[in-house]
Amino acid sequence: MTCTSCSSTIESALQSLRGVHKARVALTTEEAEVHYDPKILTHNYLMEAIQGTGFEAILISTGEHMSKIELKIDGIKNDQSLGAIERSLRSIPGVETIDIYPDINKIAITYIPHMTGPRTFIEVIESTGSGCFKAVIFPNDEGREALRQQEINRYFKLFIWSLAFTIPVFLTSMVLMYIPGVKRVLDVKIVNMLNIGLLLRCDFATPVQFIIGRRFYVGAYKALRKGSANMDVLIALGTNAAYFYSLYVVERSVFSRHFKGNDFFETSSMLISFILLGKYLEVLAKGKTSQAIAKLMNLTPETAILLTQDDKGDVVSEKQIDIRLIQKDDVIKVVPGSKVASDGFVIWGQSHVNESMITGEGRPVAKRRGDMVIGGTMNENGVMHVKVTRVGSESALSQIVRLVESAQMAKAPVQKLADHISKYFVPLVIVLSLSTWLSWFLAGKLHAYPKSWIPSSMNYFELALQFGISVMVIACPCALGLATPTAVMVGTGVGATQGVLIKGGQALESAHKVNCIVFDKTGTLTVGKPMVVTTKLFKKMSIKDFYEFTAAAEVNSEHPIAKAIVEHAKKITEEQNHSWPEAHNFVSVSGHGVKAIVLNKDILVGNKKMMLDHNISISADAEEILAEAESLAQTGILVSLDGEVAGVLAVSDPLKPGANEVISILNSMKIKSIMVTGDNWGTANSIARQAGIETIIAEAQPETKATKIKELQASGYTVAMVGDGINDSPALVAADVGMAIGAGTDIAIEAADIVLMKSNLEDIIIAIDLANKTFSRIRLNYFWALGYNILAIPIAAGILYSSTRFRLPPWIAGAAMAASSLSVVCSSLLLKNYKRPSKLNNMEINGVKIE
């Protein structure tokens, strides 16, 4: 694909197919993502549809839940052997498809990774047929990076060959003619007016035009066949005009004794050479825009140490295996200085792990038994045994790569401008080119300008032809098409390295307009790990019995406060695996608390409103404890048994370090901060006061949060919602930009537009600042791409010629066109130098300066 016209053609062809829900084609990544109904059509049909538009397609993947492995099998003697192996593999649960390539003894298997894996396939293959088969992982050289490198090499070879043939054409037409001795040789007549120089230029220019330049003819034919016009059409028309006019000069020279005309062989061959150089440099630069994905994909090590354990859990043996052979529930050994091979949790040992390459967290994170580790992160000092939980396409790293790839395919709304212009751009340029040629030709024929304007080596027809060709080849729709996607590609890649995952151009465009941020309280502004700090009983019962009832009700709830109460109850009972009494008729009242029947007693655990709704009176002592807790930014929880308040709990969830500074920076950026919480007004006011937030919405249900956001949007605000993604989904979806904070490895939060992998509030500022910088770059790219075409086309048409005698030869116009595309890509690449805002470098957290 050369420009947005190509990608739009493919996208339209895919969208028109019955059964396709959504199709996206990305010019920069040269990939298509298609959501379709497999009951109606297959992926082979999709590939045929793409090939029908004149482009080649290679299947990358067929679904997110699937993994694929290719195995090379030695020992196959005939088709019966392959049939036996296929039957054995199909009997394995989790195997989806099997493709056999008998000519190279290869089997490709797609499978569900949590059900089976490559080691199982190898064991089954090698146990089939009395052990005469041997299976190994097929050496794969067809990765996307390999394909990109092939494209780079192809353009480089084409350019070198083109240069080899173009240099003699250039020398004979522009250099050697000024060397007297050589000029005499070049001027020697062969037939009539045909001299050696003209024949040499024709011989050297022809392979450049038709062999090296064949790709432009093919591209133009495919585009025109589908009723569209792209960059290849302009190049083919421009070079053909120069070449075939030159061929006409050769033909006249052969058959005429008096004809004198100038050829433009150097124009066509130099045009193709410069355009190929531009394409080579452009492909090289475009490869650098996707380096973020390449770096992420290269994080995992090539091998892992697999442990075999006995029934007691003692290590029996260990062996080094290819990382692609790791399966779910394997136990792997991670030594100091090595990378963690796959996602899992530590079952033995402790260490510090550097997770900066995945989450952006600068400090090594302590890991001990029970802690989760992420594949691709670096183990610093200790030895750990890790039980694998996620492999292949299910791993956190694969999900991040998939999310970033999907983001780079998603079009920003601003790109609609380029898509709209590209529909009419090429036809308009062809009309302008023909008009330019006709205007200059008629002006020359009718003597509308002085004869002195015509260069001594030309006539008025040739001058007009040069102006027409220059207009055709200087126009560049490619620069317009690359303006947005290259910037989005680099911006999302930079975000990924900072632990800020931006889901495409739409999220970027919305984020740069944000002028109001709504913060959830628990887990967003606060640490998110509530602790019970005070317990006051109002009934004659032991604290142990009180927590027996309370925990029995709360153990069924997912709320962070409920979990904190259960954890505290475990400490009171001094049993980590304590069995709580069964709770009957359990009901969770969203935003208020829970109620149930435990040991034949009605129990309610919740806030003041819940008690009042159930006509339970609250004593003055209990009110006093609640007020005191609220003044200390703690949450007061009431527990009632059989209609009477039995006790009050105070739960503390302190403000995150640096929250006040982040709110202050947002204020300086003219961004309004609002806190929304289901907690009571007293606690909400205390937390907001500490954070420096003036506007508060308290005692809000999850659906109320979404309603409040819609009200803010109606008031003219572009709203971002920041939540932990647990119970904030309605609000995250309602907001213009939903930000899920502290996602960790759970990066596939559907409701969020931006996923912040760490719990740091400062990442919100990084996300908004990166969006601003990326969008500024998109605007600059558009300004350059549009400005270039608006200025270059009139200059190429000869607008300055009457006053300055300045004209652009077609080969220089072609070089300018190639340079304009390259300049847009290089402009986007400058985003790779992104530095986080300097305001964050001077933050003070609890009196400690962070630099």
Side-chain angles (χ1 to χ4, degrees), residues 4 6 9 60 101 153 162 175 294 314 316 334 355 359 467 599 698 715:
T4 48
C6 304
T9 301
I60 297 171
Y101 305 88
N153 293 340
S162 182
V175 177
D314 296 328
V316 176
V334 187
E355 297 181 343
T359 66
F467 281 126
L599 300 175
S715 304

Side-chain angles (χ1 to χ4, degrees), residues 125-201:
I125 290 166
E126 293 183 349
S127 64
T128 303
S130 308
C132 60
F133 303 123
K134 180 79 177 165
V136 293
I137 289 176
F138 198 88
N140 186 11
D141 297 321
E142 290 299 309
R144 271 176 277 184
E145 281 307 305
L147 289 170
R148 191 178 288 281
Q149 194 56 48
Q150 282 176 22
E151 188 183 19
I152 290 168
N153 293 340
R154 186 171 73 249
Y155 273 116
F156 182 70
K157 283 178 184 173
L158 282 171
F159 169 64
I160 293 299
W161 277 109
S162 182
L163 199 64
F165 283 95
T166 300
I167 287 172
V169 177
F170 173 76
L171 290 175
T172 55
S173 64
M174 295 190 173
V175 177
L176 299 177
M177 58 186 288
Y178 295 108
I179 303 172
V182 179
K183 187 179 185 304
R184 276 198 298 274
V185 174
L186 293 175
D187 286 342
V188 170
K189 304 285 191 296
I190 301 170
V191 179
N192 289 331
M193 297 302 289
L194 177 69
N195 58 37
I196 290 173
L198 181 57
L199 185 64
L200 282 173
R201 287 195 291 278

Side-chain angles (χ1 to χ4, degrees), residues 724-782:
D724 56 13
I726 296 167
N727 59 355
D728 302 314
S729 292
L732 289 172
V733 170
D736 296 290
V737 182
M739 294 190 192
I741 193 166
T745 57
D746 184 24
I747 55 95
I749 297 171
E750 288 294 323
D753 301 301
I754 297 175
V755 179
L756 309 175
M757 295 187 69
K758 293 173 285 181
S759 286
N760 296 353
L761 288 167
E762 62 188 72
D763 285 354
I764 297 164
I765 294 167
I766 291 174
I768 291 171
D769 184 64
L770 181 59
N772 289 337
K773 295 276 198 320
T774 304
F775 218 75
S776 296
R777 187 62 54 179
I778 289 170
R779 273 200 288 257
L780 180 65
N781 287 350
Y782 270 126

Side-chain angles (χ1 to χ4, degrees), residues 518-521 559 588-594 607-610 613 675-681 697-711 721 726-732 734:
V518 176
F519 292 91
D520 181 46
K521 179 180 78 72
H559 198 280
S588 176
V589 183
S590 183
H592 294 305
V594 300
N607 59 19
K608 185 176 173 180
K609 191 172 188 305
M610 186 175 186
D613 287 347
M675 187 181 82
V676 62
T677 177
D679 216 332
N680 61 73
W681 280 99
I697 302 163
E699 296 178 6
Q701 311 297 320
E703 57 275 13
T704 313
K705 294 177 184 179
T707 307
K708 293 289 182 188
I709 284 169
K710 285 172 184 170
E711 286 173 10
M721 169 72 197
I726 296 167
N727 59 355
D728 302 314
S729 292
L732 289 172

Side-chain angles (χ1 to χ4, degrees), residues 239-290:
T239 55
N240 273 347
Y243 178 82
F244 283 107
Y245 175 74
S246 303
L247 212 58
Y248 162 76
V249 170
V250 171
E251 185 263 336
R252 286 295 307 275
S253 300
V254 169
F255 295 105
S256 171
R257 295 186 178 187
H258 308 291
F259 176 78
K260 283 186 180 181
N262 294 293
D263 64 279
F264 295 130
F265 284 121
E266 83 287 346
T267 296
S268 64
S269 54
M270 285 172 76
L271 249 176
I272 288 170
S273 295
F274 275 114
I275 289 163
L276 287 172
L277 173 62
K279 289 300 289 181
Y280 165 67
L281 294 172
E282 187 184 315
V283 171
L284 208 62
K286 269 161 68 177
K288 287 183 168 44
T289 64
S290 60

Side-chain angles (χ1 to χ4, degrees), residues 607-622:
N607 59 19
K608 185 176 173 180
K609 191 172 188 305
M610 186 175 186
M611 299 298 148
L612 296 174
D613 287 347
H614 288 79
N615 299 316
I616 296 168
S617 60
I618 302 166
S619 67
D621 289 344

